Every structure is written in C-alpha cells, then in structure tokens.
Amino acid sequence: DLPGTMVITSAGATASGRVVFEDGEKPDTRLFVRTAATVPGATFSNTSVGVNPDMSFSTSGLTERQTFRLGAVPDGWFLKSVTHRGVDITDSGYEFKPGGRVSGLQILLTRPATTLTGVAQGERGEPTGDYSVVAFSSDRNKWGYLTRFVRSARPDQDGRFTIRGLPPDDYLVVAVEYLESGQEFDPEQLRAWEGSATKVSLGEGGKQSVTLSLAR
C-alpha cells in the first residue's frame, strides 16, 4: 500500500423484479437473469442470478448503468421488453446509485418473433453461399454496444440466411463476402453500408424475405 493512500468503496445497488411470459404459460426450464453495462470497459462486474419458481429474481452488487437479459431464452420465446415501473429500459438500461434498492423490474418474453430470411447473389446475379449478412436499424440512434437492433448471420447449406427475434423496426440489410468479428457494431462501417443496403420493415411477429447483392 502507498503511504497516505485511502481506498473508499461503496456498496453496490440491489434490483428485484419478475420474468413474465406474455401468454401466461411458462416453460419448465431453469432461468437466469444477467446484467451487463451499456458501455464497454465500464467499471462493473456482470451478474447472473437464478430466477425463482414464482418467476421473481433479485440481484445485488450493481453499479453504473446496466441492462437486463435472460441468460438463455427458452426455445420459441423472444425478449419483448424490459421495464421498470412501466418505463421501457430494454436498451437504455438503468442507472444504479451506490447502496440503492430498485424494485419493480419486469422482463417480458413473447412468442411472436420477427423473421428475416433471404439469399445473396454475386456480381453476375449467380447464387452464392459464401457470405455474411448484417441487418441494422435505419435509425442511427439505435446503433451501439450490445444493441438488439444490429444482427449478423451466415447462410445455411442451401445458401439461405435466417435472422429471428429482431425488435420490430425499419432495417437496412447488407450481404458482404467477409465480416470481421464485431465489425457489425462499428458505426462507421454501418454508415458505409447504408448506401448499398436493402430496406425492410418488420412489424411485431412480421416476416420478410429479401434477395441481396454482395456489397463491394
């Protein structure tokens, strides 16, 4: 220890709430709630806690702004929203103060999911199975770290890609020959793709199919 140095620590906050399934039917599986900071490199620790049989949960040691997600969403279900006393905090997260106690969180899951499918073509219009696709919101304010509004996918053995569970929104979709890990979350790269992307609109539970040309 350095002479004359004092380290002051403060207790993290606690948060409690419930997981709700929209049609009232809950799957017979163990659930976990995880928290994550809304910005990379924040001074925090991720937490993961089990959900009780009555679908309640409580977690502690929270600092700064955190988002809430299920660790593994049951098959056939998708995240619809996270709210705190009626206010949507799904993507903005909640700002925790040292020692605070926050209740009334709700993680809502739904069955109807958006589905985006399609294929990509080469420069001569020929089908290709070697590509990556990125779907991103047309609203730049929804880009960012760990955003739900940007997703990437690879095609299956038939050359067709599928992205399920995007939040309802207007999207831009682009196919590229090569995608570096995490490149789809780079705002500069997304802006570069805007001009060559295909526009699609996904309503709640909506389905869209597109044919894309490889971006150069």
Side-chain angles (χ1 to χ4, degrees), residues 5 9 22 31 35 41 76 83 96 100-101 108 124 129-130 146 148 150 162 165 171 174 188 203 209 211:
T5 299
T9 61
E22 195 165 47
L31 303 175
T35 65
T83 58
F96 289 95
R101 300 182 66 86
L108 179 62
R124 297 181 181 84
D130 187 15
L146 296 181
R148 295 183 303 139
V150 178
T162 301
Y171 288 91
V174 64
E188 289 188 10
S209 182
T211 298

Side-chain angles (χ1 to χ4, degrees), residues 194-210:
E194 283 179 314
S196 58
T198 298
K199 298 179 181 180
V200 298
S201 182
L202 290 171
E204 186 168 344
K207 296 177 172 58
Q208 292 283 1
S209 182
V210 294

